[in-house]
Structure formats: C-alpha cells, structure tokens
Amino acid sequence: RVTTLAPHRWQMAPYACQRRTPLLHSNQPLTEALETLAEEAGFSGSEGRSLAFTRAASVLKALPGRLSTLEELGPLPGIGEHSRRVIQDVLEDGVCAEVERVKLSERYQTMKLFTKIFGVGVRTASRWYQEGLRTLVDLQERGTKLTRQQQAGLRHYDDLNTPVERGEAESISRAVQGAVQRCLPGTSVTLAGGFRRGKPHGHDVDLLLTHPEAGREAGLLSRVVSWLDSQDLILYQHSQENSYALQEGPEPPGGRDVMDRFERCFSIFRLEVQGGPGAARGWKAVRVDLVVAPISQFPFALLGWTGSRHFERELRRFASHERKMVLNSHALYDSRRNLFLPAVSEEEIFQHLGLEYVPPAQRNT
Ligand code: CTP
Ligand code: MN
Ligand code: MN
Ligand code: MN
C-alpha cells in the first residue's frame, strides 16, 4: 500500500497570549532576522511594519520544533508576505540579504547606539542622526543638550549595556527588601520582568512592591528611595507619584500603550561586585525599576510587569477585540456589563478573560 504523506503543517492559536512560548526555542536564526527588521521598522517610525515582524517572530518562537521548509508554515496566522520571504532566505541561505544590509547600515547602527542610552527613545535618536551625530563622543563634543536622565545614561553607558545577571538581580531585590522592612514592615518585594519569566539575564531589574493592608503602601516609595540613597546605593533616580483613580474609569479600548500610573521610580543602583566588568572599581551601575501597587491591583500589576512586552500587547488586544474588556496594569473592565472584574491572582485574570492560564516561563513571546 502506498501512502502519500501530506506535508506537515503546524497549528497555532492566533493570539500570542493563547500560546505557550518558552524561553528557548528551535528557530533562533529566523526570529533574530525578523526581530532585526522589527527593530529597524521601529527606528523608522513604522510601528505597523514593526509589529508585523514581531508577530511573525512570535509565531516561530511558539513552534514545537525547527522549521525546515516554508511549506510547513501553511496558512499560519500572522506571517505576512515579507516575513515569509525573510524566512525563506534564511532557510535556504542561512542569511537574508535584506537583514544583513540593515545590520551594516549606518543609520541602524547609530540608532542602536543612541537608543541604548538610558532616557533616549527613537525620536531623540532619530533627531540626533538627522543632525549628523554618529558617536557618543559626538554628543559630548558638540554640546548636545541632554536631560539629567540622559546624562546619567551616558555616564554609565557601558555598565548599563552589560547584562544584569540573575544573582545581581536577587542581590538588589534583597537590598530593597531590607529597605522596605525598615520603612513599612510587611511589605512584599516581587521580582517581575524578564527574570520572572526565567531569563538568566536582563537589561534591568523590575521590582514590584505591595502591602497586604490596603492604603498602607501610599507614600512608601519616597521613604524607601531616601533610605537607599542614604546608604549610597542610588546613582540616579526619578520618581513619579501615583496618578491612578479607579473612579476615572479605564483607558479607552484600542488606545495606544500608555504607561501605567503607579507610584514608581526609574533608577540606577550602585551594586557592589566581586568580578565582571566593574571588578576593578568594586561596583557596577544597574538599572532598577521600582513600582508600588495597592494590594487590590497587585495581580494586574504583576501580570502587566512580567511581560514580555509582546505578550502584554496581545493580552490587551485579545481582551478588547475578543471580549470587549479593557485590561491594563491596574484593572480589568468589562464594557458589556459595565463593571470592573476584581482578581486576587493572575490565574483569576486569565479566567475572567476566558483564557487558559499561561505561566510566566511560557510568556516569552
Ligand atoms: N512595562 C510597563 N511600563 C513601562 C515599562 C515596562 O508596563 N513604562 C512593563 C512591560 O510591559 C514589560 C515589563 O514591564 O512587560 C518589563 O519591561 P522591561 O524591563 O522593559 O522588559 P523585560 O521583559 O524585563 O526584559 P529585560 O530583561 O530586557 O529587562
Ligand atoms: Mn513588505
Ligand atoms: Mn526588565
Ligand atoms: Mn523595566
């Protein structure tokens, strides 16, 4: 009996928040190529194009095995013409000429150099590029106007672009734990961001603070930061007060990613180190984000601050398009029934959304 095997086709749910995406996957060369194009599109202000490449990469990260031919992709959701061409090039030749061109281009390299400065976004970097600036030395020599944040970013450029190891993140977490115990005993400190997803290193340390008694957390952050500062642990910080009021109602659905309104602090810590790049000095600069959430909003804050960014974006898109709900880092609002849906855990938020729970280690989209 002769059987003709139909070519294997992968199945995949359309939203990244419906999929399990582990940290390690089998299609690294493909996702790297697509993410380079996503980054380049972002540098050009083409958000839509950037998102298309990010979506395609996200689909490949969730595949259970290595893609060997374009045919296997079949009609997988979210992979457009352009991305398919890139995938085909990499599968056939190991590289994609378009991607290699981008990586070598002066504009891409300069934009990367500048956006790696803490406090410099695409717009500022792009303006500097237009003005003919190309190096970090150019910024200094031509007397470019810098914010206090950018000055700190430039001063600690090398340290801040050296990956933060998990051990370093844990050590910073302990230092903050010590500070909050002095300022408000009972406060919990949770490591969120990439480390919570199981990444072995990251670009910063994201810490979420809350207290089991509602209201006690108000004003906590400034006391914690003052104490850490008095211990010479802080090289730079700027804080922002809580500006969220539930009675204002949720952000409109489909609105663009607005930053949440928790009491928060963007900082640079001075971390004592034994080895690594800062060993001679004995310390290293590390970016730390501190966020304070009232206990009732904590599960939403934890979900929102665990990432990945694309996972968060997809969760919000799913909530709005499939459920007519508005999700942010503070709350979940049901627009059909006109009510907020409270939750005491991340699991409960997934339940409200009618989504299967995705643990943090599977949110690496
Ligand atoms: N986040 C946010 N508002 C910001 C910055 C970040 O809500 N102004 C959220 C992002 O949605 C993300 C999480 O905080 O899910 C962590 O962001 P970030 O530190 O930038 O990324 P990580 O995933 O932690 O990756 P890395 O290891 O590079 O730090
Ligand atoms: Mn195209
Ligand atoms: Mn982070
Ligand atoms: Mn962060």
Side-chain angles (χ1 to χ4, degrees):
R1 205 174 63 203
V2 180
T3 39
T4 320
L5 281 176
H8 179 72
R9 292 277 168 96
W10 304 102
Q11 301 282 311
M12 180 121 10
Y15 290 87
C17 56
Q18 296 172 301
R19 314 193 281 253
R20 296 170 79 86
T21 313
L23 191 58
L24 299 174
H25 61 86
S26 323
N27 292 288
Q28 202 72 39
L30 299 175
T31 57
E32 257 177 44
L34 291 165
E35 283 179 335
T36 300
L37 295 182
E39 190 180 30
E40 158 62 19
F43 287 162
S44 322
S46 313
E47 288 312 321
R49 215 155 50 83
S50 177
L51 193 54
F53 288 127
T54 300
R55 285 225 177 97
S58 159
V59 166
L60 298 185
K61 287 179 190 176
L63 287 180
R66 219 181 79 203
L67 187 74
S68 45
T69 66
L70 201 57
E71 284 65 47
E72 287 180 340
L73 277 182
L76 271 191
I79 304 191
E81 273 304 306
H82 197 157
S83 293
R84 278 172 199 270
R85 248 178 7 247
V86 174
I87 292 168
Q88 183 164 28
D89 287 352
V90 177
L91 287 178
E92 284 173 3
D93 312 328
V95 288
C96 166
E98 184 187 3
V99 175
E100 296 311 301
R101 219 163 35 240
V102 163
K103 285 201 281 194
L104 290 175
S105 81
E106 188 175 31
R107 189 184 145 84
Y108 175 80
Q109 289 182 2
T110 310
M111 288 296 288
K112 236 180 134 66
L113 181 80
F114 289 161
T115 52
K116 276 168 32 182
I117 304 172
F118 174 47
V120 176
V122 166
R123 254 194 246 168
T124 304
S126 189
R127 195 180 68 240
W128 289 345
Y129 184 79
Q130 303 289 312
E131 289 169 3
L133 300 167
R134 293 292 181 270
T135 65
L136 300 182
V137 172
D138 286 350
L139 290 175
Q140 281 155 339
E141 285 182 349
R142 301 214 209 156
T144 310
K145 252 188 96 177
L146 300 173
T147 63
R148 198 173 65 88
Q149 184 182 20
Q150 293 162 350
Q151 286 168 24
L154 208 49
R155 198 158 52 238
H156 303 293
Y157 190 87
D158 290 336
D159 278 7
L160 298 187
N161 287 294
T162 304
V164 182
E165 302 298 325
R166 173 171 292 275
E168 297 174 334
E170 280 161 0
S171 149
I172 283 172
S173 181
R174 279 194 301 274
V176 173
Q177 186 67 245
V180 300
Q181 286 326 315
R182 291 182 150 259
C183 301
L184 182 64
T187 303
S188 71
V189 177
T190 308
L191 185 56
F195 287 112
R196 185 160 181 257
R197 302 196 308 274
K199 279 175 66 175
H201 36 70
H203 98 282
D204 70 353
V205 182
D206 305 289
L207 294 173
L208 211 54
L209 278 51
T210 193
H211 191 276
E213 287 166 62
R216 295 291 301 280
E217 79 291 342
L220 169 66
L221 196 56
S222 61
R223 300 204 301 278
V224 169
V225 172
S226 296
W227 193 80
L228 290 166
D229 199 20
S230 74
Q231 302 302 111
D232 281 332
L233 281 168
I234 305 241
L235 294 164
Y236 168 89
Q237 66 92 13
H238 75 270
S239 296
Q240 161 187 306
E241 282 176 23
N242 184 351
S243 62
Y244 184 77
L246 265 187
Q247 44 289 18
E248 273 179 32
E251 310 283 346
R256 46 209 208 93
D257 279 345
V258 271
M259 203 181 274
D260 60 64
R261 300 152 177 237
F262 290 115
E263 190 180 351
R264 58 172 295 180
C265 173
F266 307 84
S267 68
I268 301 175
F269 270 50
R270 183 183 185 282
L271 176 71
E272 309 265 335
V273 291
Q274 314 290 317
R281 275 180 268 145
W283 61 274
K284 172 190 177 188
V286 177
R287 271 273 299 118
V288 179
D289 284 331
L290 299 174
V291 186
V292 179
I295 188 75
S296 65
Q297 297 171 26
F298 181 76
F300 299 97
L302 183 61
L303 180 58
W305 277 83
T306 296
S308 70
R309 265 166 202 286
H310 187 60
F311 188 85
E312 303 298 334
R313 189 161 44 211
E314 289 282 280
L315 262 180
R316 290 166 198 209
R317 190 168 70 94
F318 178 88
S320 130
H321 288 64
E322 304 298 324
R323 301 288 184 255
K324 300 282 175 281
M325 291 181 187
V326 186
L327 173 69
N328 59 31
S329 293
H330 299 276
L332 177 63
Y333 183 78
D334 184 333
S335 315
R336 286 191 183 118
R337 292 185 283 166
N338 280 313
L339 49 85
F340 284 98
L341 302 171
V344 297
S345 64
E346 286 183 318
E347 283 86 344
E348 213 179 330
I349 303 173
F350 282 86
Q351 272 169 28
H352 284 317
L353 289 167
L355 279 173
E356 211 172 292
Y357 179 66
V358 180
Q362 303 292 331
R363 298 179 200 163
N364 289 293
T365 57

